[in-house]
Amino acid sequence: MANPNPTTSLYCRDIPDAGVANTVFGSDTSIMVARPGKTCCAFPLFWFTIPEGFYALVTKHGAHQPYVDSNGKSSPVWPSGMHLGPPWLKVSHLVTKQSILFNTQIKGCKTKDNVTVLIDVSIVLRVMGDDPETRPGDDPHNVYKFVHEVTPVGLQVQLQDAQAEAVRTLARSVYHTEVFGLRNVSHSELEGVQEKLFSQEAMDRVGFDHMERVSEGEANQEEKDVMGEHDYYYSLEAGFNVEAGASVAGAMK
């Protein structure tokens, strides 16, 4: 269940050991990934524990070690509980399974009547790393990709850019008196607005028929407000759950 308090940033944090993960993640909703340290002990430990509610990645001498169950099935994610192994086998990353309410403020949005507004956008997301047999659409390899390729900070930047592009486009299609009605807008609705707004008919109607002929250096401020000074939708290699089952990768195509 999503935390009622929205977060405006996503990041990774070092923690003393896996045993304090629930306390750390519960006190800071911005944390998506934790890197547990090795528990200090006078004698080497031949076991380690993984708390419930997290996807765990384990390393052996620093290299990723997949988990192999009793049926011989391999997975990059280790299940919760106690595991036996040599001291050099340790939990390298813990990724939260909880849904996160991510909030972004899109500033300087121009409406159809050239009024500048600020729009708050909130989305609910989670890392889709469960077993696809129990939760269709999920894949444990998404956890590995998220930790080592996307990263929480990288996801935050891509979400902010993608949201800014879509919201600026949507805001440009309505009058400032209609901005408060932009609630619970689905991805398909955003795509529909974008297609209509940038159709040739719409460009002719609002005087943007010359947009393609203007070089990037000559683009005026109004065109920048329409297009948004952000990179276009980035595609993520890892899968995430946004709102009711759509993926961030799909939302940013």
Side-chain angles (χ1 to χ4, degrees):
M1 183 174 181
N3 192 297
N5 298 318
T7 180
T8 57
S9 62
L10 304 171
Y11 67 97
C12 181
R13 175 178 169 180
D14 293 327
I15 59 176
D17 57 73
V20 301
N22 283 308
T23 301
V24 173
F25 278 82
S27 61
D28 189 348
T29 58
S30 299
I31 303 175
M32 291 194 73
V33 180
R35 295 184 294 262
K38 191 71 173 179
T39 303
C40 295
C41 185
F43 301 97
L45 298 179
F46 291 86
W47 56 271
F48 61 91
T49 59
I50 297 173
E52 189 68 51
F54 299 93
Y55 302 114
L57 299 182
V58 174
T59 59
K60 180 179 180 180
H61 296 302
H64 176 67
Q65 182 73 15
Y67 174 78
V68 181
D69 62 17
S70 57
N71 297 322
K73 184 178 180 181
S74 177
S75 172
V77 176
W78 285 58
S80 59
M82 186 179 73
H83 300 273
L84 301 179
W88 48 84
L89 198 66
K90 67 180 291 287
V91 179
S92 61
H93 297 84
L94 290 174
V95 181
T96 180
K97 290 184 178 182
Q98 69 179 356
S99 297
I100 297 175
L101 183 59
F102 182 71
N103 179 267
T104 303
Q105 285 190 342
I106 313 299
K107 301 179 180 179
C109 299
K110 290 286 188 180
T111 62
K112 196 172 183 178
D113 48 356
N114 291 323
V115 176
T116 302
V117 296
L118 182 150
I119 300 177
D120 278 326
V121 179
S122 295
I123 64 172
V124 178
L125 61 94
R126 71 174 182 87
V127 179
M128 300 173 64
D130 289 334
D131 189 334
E133 295 181 359
T134 59
R135 199 162 191 173
D138 282 25
D139 186 350
H141 289 86
N142 287 335
V143 179
Y144 183 87
K145 292 179 181 179
F146 176 68
V147 169
H148 295 290
E149 298 178 18
V150 180
T151 75
V153 174
L155 174 61
Q156 174 187 330
V157 172
Q158 296 186 51
L159 281 174
Q160 289 172 337
D161 286 344
Q163 289 182 80
E165 178 72 19
V167 170
R168 289 176 189 275
T169 300
L170 183 62
R172 194 61 178 173
S173 68
V174 300
Y175 293 100
H176 75 277
T177 54
E178 302 172 310
V179 171
F180 286 104
L182 300 179
R183 298 179 181 178
N184 299 324
V185 180
S186 67
H187 171 54
S188 58
E189 290 176 301
L190 288 177
E191 281 189 332
V193 170
Q194 184 182 23
E195 291 174 359
K196 293 179 182 178
L197 182 60
F198 291 103
S199 65
Q200 187 60 47
E201 179 182 357
M203 289 183 178
D204 292 340
R205 185 170 63 253
V206 296
F208 291 154
D209 54 325
H210 65 291
M211 185 178 294
E212 294 182 357
R213 296 194 295 270
V214 178
S215 65
E216 182 178 353
E218 298 172 338
N220 59 38
Q221 186 59 44
E222 184 177 62
E223 292 168 351
K224 289 182 180 180
D225 288 332
V226 173
M227 301 301 294
E229 297 178 323
H230 298 266
D231 294 331
Y232 200 67
Y233 303 116
Y234 287 100
S235 295
L236 296 183
E237 295 297 327
F240 303 93
N241 190 24
V242 180
E243 296 295 346
S247 67
V248 170
M252 288 193 282
K253 288 181 179 179

